[in-house]
Amino acid sequence: MRLVTSFAVIAVIVTSVASLSAETPYPFLDPKLTMEQRVDNIVSLMTLDEKVAALGRGDLSRLGIPALGSAEAIHQVRPRGGMPTTSFAQVYGMGETWDPELIRSAGAVEGYEARYISQSEKYKQDTLLLWGPTSDLARDPRWGRTDESFGEDPFLTGTMVVAFIKGIQGEDPKYWQAASLLKHFFANSNETTRGHSSSDFDERLMREYYTVPFRMGFLEGGAKSFMTSYNAWNGVPMTVHPMLRSIVEKEWGAGWTISSDLNATELVVDGHKYLPRKEESAAAAIKAGVNQFLSLNQGMADTVKQAMKDGLRTESDKAGVNQFLSLNQGMADTIKQALKDGLLTESDLDEALRRRLKTTIRLGLLDPLAMVPYTKIGGAGEPEPWTTEKHKAVAREVARESVVMLKNASAMLPLQREGLKTIAVVGPRAAAVLTDFYGTKTSYAVSVLDGIKSKIGAGTTVKFTPDNVDNAAVKAAQSSEVAIVVVGNDPMCGAKTPWEAFNPDASSKPCPVPGDGREGRDRESIDLPDEELIKQVYAVNPKTVVVLVSSFPYAISWSKEHIPAILHITHAAQEQGTAIADVLFGDYNPAGRLVQTWPKSLEQLPPLMDYDIRHGRTYMYFKGEPLFPFGYGLSYSTFEYSNLQLSSPRLDKTGNVAVGVQVENTGKRAGEEVIQFYVRHTRSSVSRPSKELKGFRRVKLQPDEKKTVTFSLAAESLAWWNEKSGGWEVEAEPVELLIGSSSADIRLSQTLPVE
């Protein structure tokens, strides 16, 4: 029966392309055919070996089909070859902009650079399936990959995810500039035990919290692909979880490429011990929807390990190569054995490959060049895009908007350049812009020290020292008018390259500094060791500014109490120093906002592996008073809120209401305010958060200028997931609408009946 069906499909394709010219060798090259017809034709022409190989990188050059190629791209395109692409602030920092349109511009930069690398004669490196954005939620600051998240709130994170996807994929209705692959589905926010641990919680939290950014990315952003996470959910490893098809594909229309994470299929057996044999794991993954296996070739793994033992760096490492994605022979043999054992059929492979091939068509790789609007990128004479002012300007603006001013007592900032004779710049993060696991080279990078030097005149002396060896930092601070202490984490935990960090000898140990974290290692502390340096500097110079360059929150209670001014920015931004210097000297008015609750100590947090956020996680359920609340950030301006108005006195359970508020800049400087809109359920029949973000807007205002900002509240956004009925439910209840400058700074409120 299956053979008859296949012949019928081929007959339809052949009939529909009877008018093709003799110059067109295959029906799938006809853009007039439907996508389904084209992918069916491709699969029908593939050999079994090609089908197996296509579950890795694959090679369909025999059919004239170009490879997609892939690259990490959460804050910078990181292709093989190490070309110096544009690097934005870490994802955590991009979240702190609270500016979706700007993040869409950053995504557009990355999508454009991926096309350029793929099509320019200089590079010709297939790099069109971009791994990003990361869509996981930062529920706990100990998570080693907090830097990869837009924050702890599902709506904020989802909004940023949607914007980034739209930027990457472009605006053309038919073709994508590049393809976005979301990471890591889902509930992946612990590192040290991720290869065998389970994230356990109920379906309500799955629907209402952990999967929200993914759902938004698929339904609103238009992404079709994603990577599964290492962890299990309620005991079932995500690499083989049935919800990949039953929910993500059937409900949200995604799943064109479903990629395993590196060696995750093997961990189903070796780590989770969920299945006894790797053939069963591979078969289960394919049937669950996985159609791209990331497996490090054992020979390559052994080579890298030996190079490390010998103290060598391979030529590929020097060049920036960080992916070896061809399906390793062991995995290929495993899949073939699964076929022989009857665990898989060739039709299972066909179905898996049909979904993957849709991306190739959507990128326009099989269509005439004149039809695809992105084929001119990388043409003769075009400069490398990361060298252009256009891309540099976007990086600069993301860095500036990501700066969060945590404290500014007695208006110490901005610093006055006139008459300033000496500045001490001290600390281990002052003189370099550090990258992380997901960055690579940049054509330039402006450190905080560089940025400060560019701002001052010839009459000002900058005294720099990276530490307090021989009392150097104290001496510099004591003899200067202002001391700027630049401290923070090491995003690589001491490793020089990702390969070095993945060395089994290194990855089996904690980070050398307990407060640091990275992929594979969670933080053991949220204390800042360099706070001791801050104390020493402040003791000799009360005019001390702390610049905290970090990938996650720190419990800096002493600094908050004593230091007059504190700024926060993340790593990796090539314009990091420009942004900090602009804020320090008043050339830019900061408006970044925190995207995570900063606790005072670990005692305020539940155990790391407690995934039920109702037990005290995030601003929605946090117990006690945080060090800094979600949504917090200061400005050089002041803003007043007034005139909260609703378009209707009540909200129908299937309707919408417009919520308007007037905001005025009452300060003396032009500035930006981030207006935040929360709701609180007052009579829900089930447990609900203390408040939930439902809208936000970053607004520019001149002194004395007023603007009315309007949010649209849909009743369906107030729904909770009813596990008994298996659907969303909107309750008839009064809902309190809250407008403010942070989750803890509510300026206006009004009750709205939902009927």
Side-chain angles (χ1 to χ4, degrees):
M1 179 63 70
R2 201 175 284 122
L3 187 60
V4 172
T5 303
S6 297
F7 280 135
V9 170
I10 293 171
V12 170
I13 294 173
V14 171
T15 300
S16 63
V17 297
S19 61
L20 283 178
S21 70
E23 295 179 356
T24 305
Y26 300 114
F28 66 75
L29 292 174
D30 184 1
K32 295 190 292 295
L33 294 182
T34 67
M35 182 178 286
E36 295 296 337
Q37 289 175 324
R38 299 177 81 177
V39 298
D40 282 345
N41 178 234
I42 294 170
V43 171
S44 73
L45 297 168
M46 295 172 66
T47 66
L48 180 59
D49 284 344
E50 286 174 330
K51 291 175 183 178
V52 172
L55 294 172
R57 180 177 173 84
D59 181 6
L60 293 179
S61 58
R62 180 181 65 85
L63 300 176
I65 298 175
L68 287 179
S70 55
E72 298 284 4
I74 60 174
H75 67 78
Q76 177 182 17
V77 177
R78 195 185 73 177
R80 302 181 309 279
M83 55 284 293
T85 55
T86 301
S87 183
F88 299 100
Q90 289 176 302
V91 181
Y92 197 74
M94 289 199 286
E96 289 181 331
T97 69
W98 288 65
D99 190 342
E101 284 306 308
L102 180 59
I103 299 311
R104 182 168 180 165
S105 296
V109 165
E110 293 200 12
Y112 191 98
E113 291 185 1
R115 269 282 175 175
Y116 180 92
I117 292 166
S118 298
Q119 296 177 171
S120 68
E121 287 298 326
K122 181 176 180 180
Y123 297 111
K124 281 291 184 182
Q125 182 188 133
D126 303 313
T127 311
L128 288 179
L129 182 60
L130 297 184
W131 296 352
T134 307
S135 306
D136 299 296
L137 291 160
R139 65 177 179 99
D140 191 302
R142 287 168 290 189
W143 180 32
R145 298 175 80 172
T146 295
D147 61 280
E148 296 184 38
S149 174
F150 286 110
E152 70 183 18
D153 180 78
F155 177 77
L156 171 66
T157 299
T159 302
M160 295 302 203
V161 164
V162 168
F164 201 65
I165 292 166
K166 288 183 175 180
I168 286 173
Q169 297 191 162
E171 302 178 1
D172 189 81
K174 184 175 181 180
Y175 296 104
W176 284 338
Q177 176 174 243
S180 175
L181 183 143
L182 277 56
K183 302 195 308 180
H184 310 83
F185 191 83
F186 80 110
N188 175 196
S189 51
N190 68 280
E191 289 299 298
T192 306
T193 63
R194 65 185 185 178
H196 57 83
S197 61
S198 180
S199 306
D200 297 338
F201 49 88
D202 56 43
E203 188 178 359
R204 263 196 73 199
L205 281 180
M206 181 273 284
R207 295 279 187 171
E208 296 177 13
Y209 185 71
Y210 286 105
T211 63
V212 170
F214 292 94
R215 185 182 74 228
M216 292 175 66
F218 297 137
L219 295 180
E220 299 176 32
K224 294 293 185 181
S225 300
F226 63 97
M227 180 182 290
T228 60
S229 53
Y230 284 112
N231 59 284
W233 175 45
N234 294 344
V236 182
M238 290 312 305
T239 309
V240 297
H241 207 292
M243 73 177 294
L244 306 183
R245 303 297 297 274
S246 63
I247 295 178
V248 180
E249 182 181 358
K250 291 184 179 179
E251 293 187 24
W252 304 335
W256 285 11
T257 294
I258 303 178
S259 176
S260 74
D261 210 331
L262 185 65
N263 289 351
T265 312
E266 291 88 336
L267 286 172
V268 171
V269 177
D270 299 331
H272 293 283
K273 302 190 184 305
Y274 183 76
L275 292 170
R277 299 169 55 228
K278 292 180 181 179
E279 290 80 7
E280 293 178 73
S281 175
I286 291 170
K287 289 185 176 181
V290 173
N291 53 19
Q292 176 176 280
F293 291 89
L294 301 190
S295 300
L296 185 63
N297 181 289
Q298 190 57 49
M300 180 58 70
D302 291 342
T303 299
V304 172
K305 291 176 187 176
Q306 188 59 52
M308 292 173 183
K309 290 179 181 178
D310 295 343
L312 301 174
R313 293 186 66 196
T314 64
E315 287 305 310
S316 58
D317 187 21
K318 292 177 184 177
V321 173
N322 45 52
Q323 299 177 41
F324 298 92
L325 299 183
S326 57
L327 192 67
N328 73 42
Q329 191 57 49
M331 179 57 73
D333 291 343
T334 297
I335 294 171
K336 290 178 181 178
Q337 188 61 50
L339 289 165
K340 291 179 182 178
D341 293 347
L343 300 171
L344 283 174
T345 65
E346 189 171 353
S347 63
D348 290 327
L349 303 188
D350 292 348
E351 191 280 331
L353 294 174
R354 285 189 185 96
R355 288 182 283 114
R356 282 201 69 187
L357 289 165
K358 291 179 180 180
T359 302
T360 301
I361 293 172
R362 189 66 188 271
L363 287 165
L365 300 183
L366 304 182
D367 290 354
L369 296 179
M371 294 182 64
V372 184
Y374 303 111
T375 54
K376 294 182 180 179
I377 296 174
E382 181 182 353
E384 294 176 327
W386 44 85
T387 66
T388 65
E389 178 55 31
K390 180 179 180 181
H391 285 203
K392 291 177 183 179
V394 179
R396 192 177 307 124
E397 193 62 20
V398 170
R400 282 173 174 152
E401 290 200 10
S402 74
V403 177
V404 181
M405 186 157 65
L406 297 175
K407 186 178 179 182
N408 191 25
S410 303
M412 180 176 173
L413 296 179
L415 301 174
Q416 301 302 313
R417 274 170 284 207
E418 296 77 13
L420 188 61
K421 299 299 183 183
T422 53
I423 303 175
V425 179
V426 304
R429 303 292 169 247
V433 177
L434 301 185
T435 189
D436 55 21
F437 268 41
Y438 295 96
T440 184
K441 296 184 296 185
T442 54
S443 57
Y444 71 97
V446 183
S447 69
V448 173
L449 180 62
D450 294 333
I452 291 172
K453 286 182 174 180
S454 72
K455 288 288 180 183
I456 61 173
T460 304
T461 300
V462 175
K463 302 177 181 181
F464 166 67
T465 179
D467 50 45
N468 199 30
V469 174
D470 296 328
N471 220 29
V474 167
K475 291 177 181 177
Q478 196 168 26
S479 60
S480 299
E481 296 167 71
V482 176
I484 300 171
V485 187
V486 189
V487 293
N489 69 298
D490 174 358
M492 295 286 281
C493 278
K496 295 179 181 178
T497 68
W499 285 118
E500 182 181 353
F502 272 120
N503 181 336
D505 293 336
S507 61
S508 63
K509 299 176 183 178
C511 291
V513 178
D516 286 353
R518 57 165 171 77
E519 177 167 0
R521 304 310 305 173
D522 291 310
R523 303 169 73 194
E524 298 182 323
S525 168
I526 59 172
D527 295 331
L528 178 66
D530 287 326
E531 201 160 34
E532 183 59 35
L533 174 63
I534 297 170
K535 292 177 182 179
Q536 293 169 351
V537 169
Y538 179 73
V540 299
N541 192 332
K543 292 186 176 181
T544 295
V545 179
V546 168
V547 176
L548 180 59
V549 186
S550 73
S551 308
F552 26 60
Y554 276 105
I556 51 171
S557 296
W558 187 92
S559 293
K560 181 186 177 185
E561 181 180 354
H562 295 92
I563 300 301
I566 306 173
L567 302 178
H568 177 257
I569 193 170
T570 64
H571 295 285
Q574 65 187 45
E575 291 278 2
Q576 179 188 95
T578 303
I580 290 296
D582 281 351
V583 172
L584 285 173
F585 292 99
D587 295 329
Y588 188 84
N589 193 346
R593 298 291 187 269
L594 296 182
V595 295
Q596 192 172 20
T597 303
W598 286 38
K600 294 179 179 178
S601 70
L602 287 180
E603 284 67 34
Q604 290 185 303
L605 298 174
L608 178 62
M609 288 309 297
D610 184 351
Y611 269 78
D612 189 338
I613 63 170
R614 305 181 191 96
H615 295 162
R617 292 198 190 283
T618 78
Y619 75 95
M620 295 184 282
Y621 296 101
F622 193 80
K623 298 174 183 178
E625 182 182 353
L627 183 69
F628 297 109
F630 173 83
Y632 173 83
L634 302 176
S635 168
Y636 293 142
S637 300
T638 54
F639 301 90
E640 287 187 2
Y641 292 61
S642 63
N643 201 24
L644 176 59
Q645 293 190 340
L646 309 180
S647 61
S648 172
R650 57 188 52 83
L651 176 60
D652 185 88
K653 290 170 70 173
T654 60
N656 294 268
V657 65
V659 180
V661 61
Q662 189 175 84
V663 182
E664 180 182 2
N665 182 350
T666 55
K668 297 180 180 180
R669 290 173 173 266
E672 296 171 272
E673 174 72 340
V674 178
I675 300 98
Q676 301 167 41
F677 171 38
Y678 299 85
V679 301
R680 176 183 291 130
H681 297 270
T682 61
R683 297 181 189 172
S684 179
S685 61
V686 295
S687 62
R688 306 298 285 267
S690 61
K691 59 177 69 74
E692 298 175 77
L693 185 69
K694 294 298 178 185
F696 60 91
R697 195 75 48 78
R698 183 166 177 147
V699 179
K700 295 181 179 180
L701 293 164
Q702 296 297 318
D704 300 321
E705 184 181 7
K706 299 178 182 179
K707 285 186 180 179
T708 297
V709 176
T710 303
F711 301 100
S712 178
L713 179 66
E716 64 179 2
S717 72
L718 303 173
W720 63 281
W721 181 262
N722 189 325
E723 292 182 89
K724 292 182 179 179
S725 65
W728 295 98
E729 183 174 318
V730 179
E731 294 180 292
E733 58 157 341
V735 174
E736 192 173 5
L737 310 181
L738 310 168
I739 304 287
S741 189
S742 82
S743 62
D745 183 10
I746 302 302
R747 308 289 182 86
L748 301 170
S749 65
Q750 187 165 331
T751 299
L752 174 69
V754 180
E755 301 174 348

